[in-house]
Amino acid sequence: VKIGVLLGQLRELEAGLAATYRGTGERHADDHDVYHQCVSFAKKAEGHVAKLASLAERYDARNGADSQVQARDDNELGLLGVLRTLFLAAEEVSITWVMMNQAAQAARDAELLSVVQECHAEVELQVKWLTTRIKVAAPQALVTA
Amino acid sequence: MEDRIHQPWGIRSPYSRGETWPIRLDERADGEVDRWVASACVLCSNGCGVDIGVRDGRIVGVRGRGSDRVNRGRLGPKGLYGWEANGAPDRLRRPLVRKSGELRESSWDEAMELVAEKARTLLATKGSGALGFYTTGQLFIEDYYTLGVIARGGIGTNHLDGNTRLCTATAAQALKETFGCDGQPGSFADIDHCDALLHVGINMAETQTVTWMRQLDRLQRPDRPRLVVIDPRPTPAAREADIHLAVRSGTNVAILNGLLAQLIENGWIDREWIEAHTVGFDALARAVEPYTPEKVAEICGVDAGAIREAARIIGQAERLLTFVLQGVYQSHQATAAACQANNINLLRGMIGRPGAGILQMNGQPTAQNTRECGCDGDLAGFRNWQNAAHIADLARIWNVEPQQIPHWGPPTHAMEIFRYAEQGSIGFLWIIGTNPAVSLPELRRIRSILSNPELFLVVSDAFPTETTQFADVVLPAALWGEKTGTFTNADRTVHLSEQAVEPPGEARADLDVFIDFAQRLELRDKDGERLVKWSTPEEAYSAWQECSRGRPCDYSELSYERLRAGSGIQWGGERLYADGVFPTEPELCEDYGHDIVVGNQLSEPEFRALNPQGRAILKPAEWTEPHEWPDEEYPLVLNTGRTIYQFHTRTKTGRAPELSAAAPDVWVELAQTDADRLGIEEGDVCEVVSPRGTVRAPARVSGIREGVVFLPFHYGSWKAEEEDAPSAANELTITQWDPVSKQPIFKTAKVRVTKVAGGTGRSPAPEVAASAPAGAAT
């Protein structure tokens, strides 16, 4: 069961996110809504870290960096990792299309807007496909393999 | 009786629209019959009512039942001759256990304890996800339901699927996508009332022989229904057709979109009905608009005028009956294409009335039941894995905690089960009544998975097969006629099949074996009582009746007593959706559906956003080229399928002497033009090569469309003399599946064909039906 490893990763990620929220809030304190929302999200993230800590004892969580998980291209865990990376890449592309969509509207560029709408819809489809596939792959990779 | 090998459909009994299909009594027996035992045929999904003839404790014949709504007394050649396999000398009679590398006879206790011990060990060390079950479309309701309870409710594994994944997964999925739930909308009786027939990728004369007879009988009269056939092969239906669209394999969505576009453009649609009973028309109309006859003609390789004429027949019909099968289901974009066939009838409002209906057909006799009972990639009673209330209901019925039942994702499909076995996370695989070493795609890969020493392989079968030779434990199974149980055909007709004779040797009914397994694993409900609380078929059936109560497939009123009193009763009545109300209420539906092009699972909110609320969902799809498409090195498309005389991998039909002799060995069908170009003549020995393997087969130059070659998929290597030359079509097929139904693709592998040796005269291909020689009219 690799749940412990994933718990360790989640703790790291949540802790990192908390720090980023705090840092962002401080650097953008003059964007007041951003400041306040970031601080409250940081508190949420820190709360998640605390919740994970008690679960981690049960699952013997390891630090993500020195985990003993052996993900290979040809095993269940390897596929799950690759799908996760793809999902993150597709999400980055997706939110960038959102920016472009807004820009195209403001620039009144109909040609750009039509390209944005077509492409963004396709990327959103990819994100959903990756979500569907990750949901199917995760139980076997994390619990059985 | 006449020779039903060479006259497979027998003599005609013509009838007109609205008349009752005349009775014709088919019977075949070796000598005197002492008693007749009620059953139904298990050699295709048609489910003909049949009596089994018994003398001296042996099956000696069969006769069709004239009172049965399905066949009105008729039987096809497989039904008439196939029963002889029950008495074949090489039936498995004792369990086999692998010792020092060899399969040796053992006691049931030794074999079952070994199976249970392996299961217990893996459950303790790796958990329920290490156990998988791969079943069939040949068991009875009682078997399926019991195994589903054991696997999902007891062991708690999500890895339970059947070879129905190869046969009917797309039928089920397309019904879920369009209507919210599985369940055959139409009825075979619609043939009596239709004035137009649309066959999409179905060679019915060979696959559902008796229901083809029914159509053939109507085609004899002046008021014959108009017939449109979409198929790359010159099937008997294609020869009878008013319009035959011999499309290139892999282009189903394009041809169907073309027909839909014509219906809309010419106003041959029922706008009022569409408005009241469907959602999604505007998006569908936009999606199909670019599919002009000229564009479709180019994609599909058919005549644009023929597309217009086919659309006119469909568009002007008053009662349109549509049949769909493997040409759609085993191609890429399988679900997308099957949904477009649904859309044709929906745009015309042709559903739920006599003669107006859709039959998304099944291949196997009991495929419908594995879908209903949750022994494949579905949950029992058409329950929705994403619906917490459905899971809670199932948990209440089984008296287990809801979290015991896997519902974090869709049940694992067969190809994924084999992938987990390949990777090693599944260490226990129980294969029941199926022969994946011949029937799954890319056999070299399948053999390597099955022969992995890390995989503990249990195989239940009645015969030694290409698959049993890889097993660690082989369990000898009772066949049809040797046990009692119920099953349901492709038009929802339920039959009770009574035990007629004892199984040979120590062979046992699957139900008994499953219950033994559950007891050895000490599977309990949440009160510590036995999880499986039944021991006889009738008790198992009663449990299923209770599980189905209130669901669309409600068996609660169909007791053994009622089934014994009649001869085949449909659940849901003659036809579903007579009121135009579909099970798309979010609380009721079996599936929230998918994006049918890419396969993304929709969530409940996404489904609600479609706002179906009892209306059918028109889902559009653009045509996409198959991932593997002919190129310079492999210029032809391989289509695989069956002949009328054989079933599956011949485990039964290959042991029925008349059937085996009628189609004894593999052949490859080529178009005359392709044969001429390659310098191949009838009977020449050819090699068919794909990127995955080679098959050697003599050529049949037939009327198949140019660019497509056909191999029958029946021919593995269990007959010793066949071992040298690879003959299984699946040596060549690709490991790929439809993104929605997960049905593997058997219709579009790229291949090349070369002549390797001169002719030996005629190939062994049957001279009738789709494989008939070029120019022959049969």
Side-chain angles (χ1 to χ4, degrees):
Chain A
V1 175
K2 306 292 195 295
I3 288 177
V5 177
L6 200 67
L7 280 173
Q9 287 181 6
L10 265 178
R11 279 175 78 185
E12 269 191 12
L13 288 167
E14 287 278 13
L17 187 59
T20 308
Y21 274 133
R22 286 205 183 276
T24 304
E26 281 159 20
R27 279 193 303 281
H28 294 271
D30 292 340
D31 295 308
H32 295 272
D33 60 329
V34 173
Y35 169 74
H36 290 293
Q37 199 58 61
C38 281
V39 169
S40 83
F41 282 160
K43 286 178 185 164
K44 289 280 182 200
E46 285 153 4
H48 296 172
V49 173
K51 286 194 173 81
L52 289 165
S54 61
L55 286 167
E57 279 175 32
R58 273 213 289 131
Y59 277 102
D60 182 33
R62 292 168 202 283
N63 189 311
D66 61 296
S67 82
Q68 297 184 347
V69 183
Q70 285 143 12
R72 298 189 316 264
D73 278 353
D74 65 346
N75 72 11
E76 293 87 339
L77 212 59
L79 177 67
L80 193 62
V82 166
L83 291 173
R84 181 177 178 280
T85 305
L86 267 175
F87 174 89
L88 294 172
E91 279 284 45
E92 187 172 15
V93 171
S94 181
I95 195 65
T96 310
W97 280 116
V98 169
M99 295 176 191
M100 188 57 81
N101 180 61
Q102 301 306 99
Q105 290 188 64
R108 275 95 179 167
D109 185 336
E111 189 188 347
L112 178 58
L113 193 60
S114 88
V115 170
V116 169
Q117 282 168 349
E118 185 191 338
C119 296
H120 187 217
E122 287 176 6
V123 174
E124 283 188 308
L125 209 62
Q126 293 164 18
V127 169
K128 285 181 183 172
W129 184 84
L130 289 162
T131 306
T132 298
R133 193 65 183 83
I134 285 168
K135 282 181 167 180
V136 169
Q140 193 74 3
L142 295 170
V143 179
T144 306
Chain B
M1 202 184 73
E2 76 271 29
D3 171 7
R4 289 291 303 284
I5 292 293
H6 294 97
Q7 305 290 330
W9 306 286
I11 52 167
R12 298 277 53 79
S13 23
Y15 72 121
S16 298
R17 183 171 165 184
E19 292 179 3
T20 306
W21 190 27
I23 290 173
R24 183 189 91 191
L25 292 175
D26 291 353
E27 177 177 333
R28 185 177 158 268
D30 280 348
E32 291 294 306
V33 171
D34 289 344
R35 62 194 171 91
W36 293 98
V37 181
S39 179
C41 185
V42 288
L43 285 160
C44 80
S45 67
N46 212 62
C48 295
V50 64
D51 292 331
I52 302 173
V54 179
R55 187 182 67 240
D56 302 331
R58 286 174 59 86
I59 298 177
V60 293
V62 288
R63 68 178 185 194
R65 273 200 305 278
S67 60
D68 198 282
R69 61 173 301 279
V70 172
N71 54 321
R72 309 273 293 158
R74 292 162 188 79
L75 293 173
K78 284 193 286 289
L80 284 167
Y81 298 97
W83 55 268
E84 292 174 61
N86 277 54
D90 62 342
R91 283 288 300 271
L92 292 169
R93 290 157 194 274
R94 297 199 71 198
L96 305 172
V97 168
R98 191 168 295 282
K99 289 175 186 165
S100 319
E102 288 194 18
L103 285 171
R104 307 243 169 97
E105 287 196 351
S106 83
S107 68
W108 270 100
D109 191 55
E110 183 191 352
M112 287 306 295
E113 195 44 42
L114 194 60
V115 173
E117 178 53 34
K118 188 68 191 180
R120 278 192 291 263
T121 304
L122 276 172
L123 276 169
T125 55
K126 294 178 76 179
S128 58
L131 278 70
F133 297 83
Y134 181 57
T135 76
T136 175
Q138 318 271 329
L139 301 181
F140 290 158
I141 284 176
E142 295 75 3
D143 306 313
Y144 289 131
Y145 182 62
T146 302
L147 183 59
V149 173
I150 289 170
R152 299 198 202 284
I155 292 169
T157 179
N158 208 16
H159 311 323
L160 168 63
D161 198 9
N163 67 10
T164 47
R165 185 64 62 182
L166 323 180
C167 116
T168 121
T170 302
Q173 196 59 47
L175 294 171
K176 290 182 223 178
E177 298 294 337
T178 303
F179 305 117
C181 189
D182 194 355
Q184 188 69 278
S187 165
F188 291 164
D190 286 327
I191 295 164
D192 308 346
H193 304 283
C194 66
D195 70 347
L197 285 158
L198 172 60
H199 284 204
V200 191
I202 178 166
N203 177 8
M204 202 150 190
E206 301 197 65
T207 55
Q208 284 89 12
T209 322
V210 171
T211 292
W212 171 243
M213 294 175 200
R214 193 168 189 155
Q215 294 167 70
L216 209 46
D217 286 342
R218 273 220 55 205
L219 289 166
Q220 306 308 305
R221 284 279 171 87
D223 70 344
R224 57 177 266 151
R226 312 288 305 276
L227 174 60
V228 175
V229 172
I230 301 174
D231 202 304
R233 295 177 77 209
T235 63
R239 295 194 183 101
E240 289 285 337
D242 296 275
I243 297 290
H244 174 205
L245 298 167
V247 296
R248 193 175 282 138
S249 300
T251 63
N252 293 324
V253 168
I255 192 77
L256 294 166
N257 278 352
L259 293 172
L260 287 163
Q262 283 293 295
L263 295 181
I264 294 170
E265 187 185 316
N266 290 292
W268 292 321
I269 61 173
D270 188 338
R271 284 196 178 271
E272 204 177 318
W273 196 91
I274 292 168
E275 185 63 31
H277 299 288
T278 70
V279 295
F281 174 76
D282 292 342
L284 177 67
R286 271 198 308 277
V288 301
E289 199 196 348
Y291 291 83
T292 61
E294 284 68 29
K295 174 178 167 165
V296 172
E298 193 183 322
I299 295 171
C300 303
V302 295
D303 177 61
I307 297 169
R308 288 196 171 85
E309 189 49 34
R312 178 181 304 279
I313 290 172
I314 294 164
Q316 297 184 343
E318 290 172 2
R319 289 168 190 248
L320 170 69
L321 182 59
T322 299
F323 287 95
V324 186
L325 194 62
Q326 309 304 0
V328 169
Y329 305 158
Q330 295 180 340
S331 293
H332 86 302
Q333 295 200 290
T335 308
C339 286
Q340 303 322 308
N342 290 340
N343 290 346
I344 285 178
N345 277 64
L346 289 174
L347 289 194
R348 301 235 50 234
M350 295 282 178
I351 189 166
R353 287 184 285 128
I358 297 164
L359 286 145
Q360 297 278 359
M361 294 293 285
N362 309 339
Q364 296 179 78
T366 76
Q368 188 59 45
N369 303 115
T370 188
R371 283 148 58 177
E372 294 166 356
C373 297
C375 201
D376 59 354
D378 299 297
L379 294 184
F382 294 161
R383 285 176 175 84
N384 182 348
W385 64 268
Q386 291 195 94
N387 184 331
H390 284 194
I391 301 299
D393 194 36
L394 208 49
R396 173 189 60 78
I397 293 163
W398 293 349
N399 197 35
V400 298
E401 297 295 343
Q403 61 264 33
Q404 176 64 13
I405 303 168
H407 62 283
W408 47 76
T412 313
H413 64 90
M415 298 302 285
E416 198 68 12
I417 290 176
F418 278 83
R419 177 63 177 148
Y420 291 152
E422 182 175 40
Q423 293 172 316
S425 61
I426 284 181
F428 172 106
L429 182 61
W430 190 344
I431 294 173
I432 300 150
T434 186
N435 190 11
V438 180
S439 55
L440 281 180
E442 201 177 351
L443 289 179
R444 189 168 48 184
R445 170 173 178 262
I446 298 302
R447 284 190 293 266
S448 106
I449 295 170
L450 294 175
S451 58
N452 180 355
E454 300 296 308
L455 178 70
F456 185 79
L457 185 66
V458 184
V459 180
S460 295
D461 210 300
F463 301 102
T465 67
E466 292 86 343
T467 299
T468 59
Q469 66 182 356
F470 293 107
D472 295 287
V473 175
V474 178
L475 302 172
L479 282 172
W480 164 89
E482 299 164 357
K483 60 179 194 177
T484 292
T486 44
F487 61 97
T488 307
N489 80 343
D491 86 337
R492 288 174 285 102
T493 305
V494 188
H495 284 103
L496 175 62
S497 177
E498 306 269 13
Q499 181 174 358
V501 299
E502 291 298 320
E506 295 176 22
R508 281 189 192 170
D510 296 290
L511 176 64
D512 297 339
V513 178
F514 298 155
I515 292 174
D516 182 14
F517 179 62
Q519 286 178 0
R520 286 175 197 267
L521 289 189
E522 296 183 2
L523 299 179
R524 303 284 163 183
D525 67 13
K526 67 181 181 187
D527 296 326
E529 301 295 322
R530 270 187 185 170
L531 178 73
V532 179
K533 298 175 175 62
W534 49 89
S535 53
T536 68
E538 187 159 7
E539 289 165 6
Y541 182 79
S542 296
W544 158 244
Q545 284 182 284
E546 220 27 62
C547 181
S548 72
R549 187 185 294 277
R551 293 297 301 158
C553 53
D554 191 334
Y555 281 68
S556 58
E557 301 297 316
L558 298 177
S559 64
Y560 267 30
E561 194 184 352
R562 266 192 77 196
L563 292 170
R564 281 197 173 107
S567 182
I569 306 173
Q570 286 174 292
W571 67 252
E574 180 90 72
R575 47 190 70 78
L576 305 181
Y577 315 137
D579 52 3
V581 177
F582 302 95
T584 50
E585 294 286 343
E587 296 76 19
L588 176 65
C589 72
E590 184 182 4
D591 196 332
Y592 298 133
H594 297 74
D595 176 299
I596 59 170
V597 176
V598 182
N600 305 334
Q601 175 78 54
L602 300 191
S603 64
E604 183 186 345
E606 286 171 310
F607 182 72
R608 284 184 185 275
L610 298 171
N611 195 28
Q613 300 292 348
R615 287 172 289 188
I617 304 167
L618 297 165
K619 291 196 173 185
E622 58 178 341
W623 175 74
T624 59
E625 201 172 88
H627 289 130
E628 182 170 284
W629 204 226
D631 52 30
E632 268 184 33
E633 193 180 357
Y634 302 99
L636 299 163
V637 183
L638 173 68
N639 190 312
T640 73
R642 70 171 59 143
T643 165
I644 189 168
Y645 302 112
Q646 300 284 7
F647 198 56
H648 285 195
T649 62
R650 296 182 298 157
T651 44
K652 282 182 181 173
T653 50
R655 289 173 171 91
E658 293 87 351
L659 296 174
S660 186
D665 210 345
V666 69
W667 70 90
V668 56
E669 279 166 36
L670 291 140
Q672 186 76 61
T673 45
D674 288 325
D676 290 347
R677 191 170 43 78
L678 296 164
I680 294 168
E681 290 180 17
E682 170 76 26
D684 285 351
V685 179
C686 299
E687 265 188 1
V688 188
V689 184
S690 85
R692 293 157 292 277
T694 300
V695 165
R696 191 173 282 218
R700 161 57 45 91
V701 180
S702 79
I704 196 168
R705 73 152 289 135
E706 186 175 13
V708 178
V709 299
F710 174 86
L711 274 174
F713 57 47
H714 309 291
Y715 298 94
S717 56
W718 59 265
K719 293 190 173 178
E721 66 273 17
E722 296 163 0
E723 270 173 12
D724 298 331
S727 52
N730 283 317
E731 302 288 351
L732 310 179
T733 44
I734 185 170
T735 301
Q736 200 201 335
W737 50 86
D738 178 64
V740 190
S741 70
K742 314 296 192 288
Q743 186 153 351
I745 296 169
F746 293 103
K747 303 291 191 190
T748 57
K750 63 180 185 183
V751 294
R752 66 168 178 265
V753 179
T754 50
K755 174 177 164 177
V756 292
T760 50
R762 271 252 186 282
S763 75
E767 304 280 313
V768 302
S771 52
T778 60

